[in-house]
Amino acid sequence: MPVRRPLLAAALGAAALLCAAVAPACADPSELITVDPVGRIAPDGTVTLSGTYRCTGGTGPVFVSSSVSQGDARLRHGVGGGTARCDGAEHRWENSGKVTAGALKAGTARVEATLTELRPSGILLLPAFHAMTDQTVTLTQE
């Protein structure tokens, strides 16, 4: 049985590392991300979402990501992403991405926007969340 103990210890250690990697870090209360109340859907299915963000203390690359759902909250459509500057100032963000034609229509939708940093940890880059919001918006057809 001595072989099982090292395997069990390794499995528990990996699980603890994974939990630490995906758990939201305690972000500075001044960090935030907002979503504008109106998003756009182009005739070709491209969705554009925008808003503002503020973050501080980034030591690795930081990204603004967004997704949208309409109807079934379990079905989220990724809407682009971009880099962020964590210098303590408020900045605008805008993400665009093409979704399957007809998947979204003009009307009420839920948007989730997240500021995620990839922090170096040894040879890995682990996610650290600076800010996140989930709010209702109105999608308009262009």
Side-chain angles (χ1 to χ4, degrees):
M1 299 291 174
V3 173
R4 288 189 183 173
R5 285 191 183 171
L7 291 176
L8 179 60
L12 290 174
L17 179 62
L18 181 60
C19 289
V22 298
C26 294
D28 182 318
S30 68
E31 296 185 315
L32 63 92
I33 187 165
T34 68
V35 178
D36 291 340
V38 176
R40 300 183 317 269
I41 306 172
D44 70 352
T46 299
V47 176
T48 302
L49 303 170
S50 58
T52 63
Y53 71 89
R54 180 177 52 238
C55 58
T56 59
T59 59
V62 181
F63 300 95
V64 179
S65 61
S66 56
S67 64
V68 62
S69 66
Q70 199 173 49
D72 185 353
R74 296 172 298 170
L75 179 58
R76 301 198 72 79
H77 303 276
V79 181
T83 58
R85 285 183 301 184
C86 287
D87 59 6
E90 187 170 292
H91 299 280
R92 296 273 318 149
W93 66 269
E94 180 174 284
N95 291 343
S96 294
K98 201 173 220 181
V99 299
T100 306
L104 299 171
K105 60 183 180 184
T108 302
R110 293 292 295 178
V111 171
E112 182 179 285
T114 308
L115 275 174
T116 308
E117 178 180 354
L118 295 179
R119 287 190 181 151
S121 177
I123 62 170
L124 299 175
L125 292 175
L126 299 179
F129 300 96
H130 284 265
M132 182 177 145
T133 189
D134 184 5
Q135 65 189 70
T136 302
V137 302
T138 301
L139 296 177
T140 60
Q141 191 75 44
E142 292 180 337

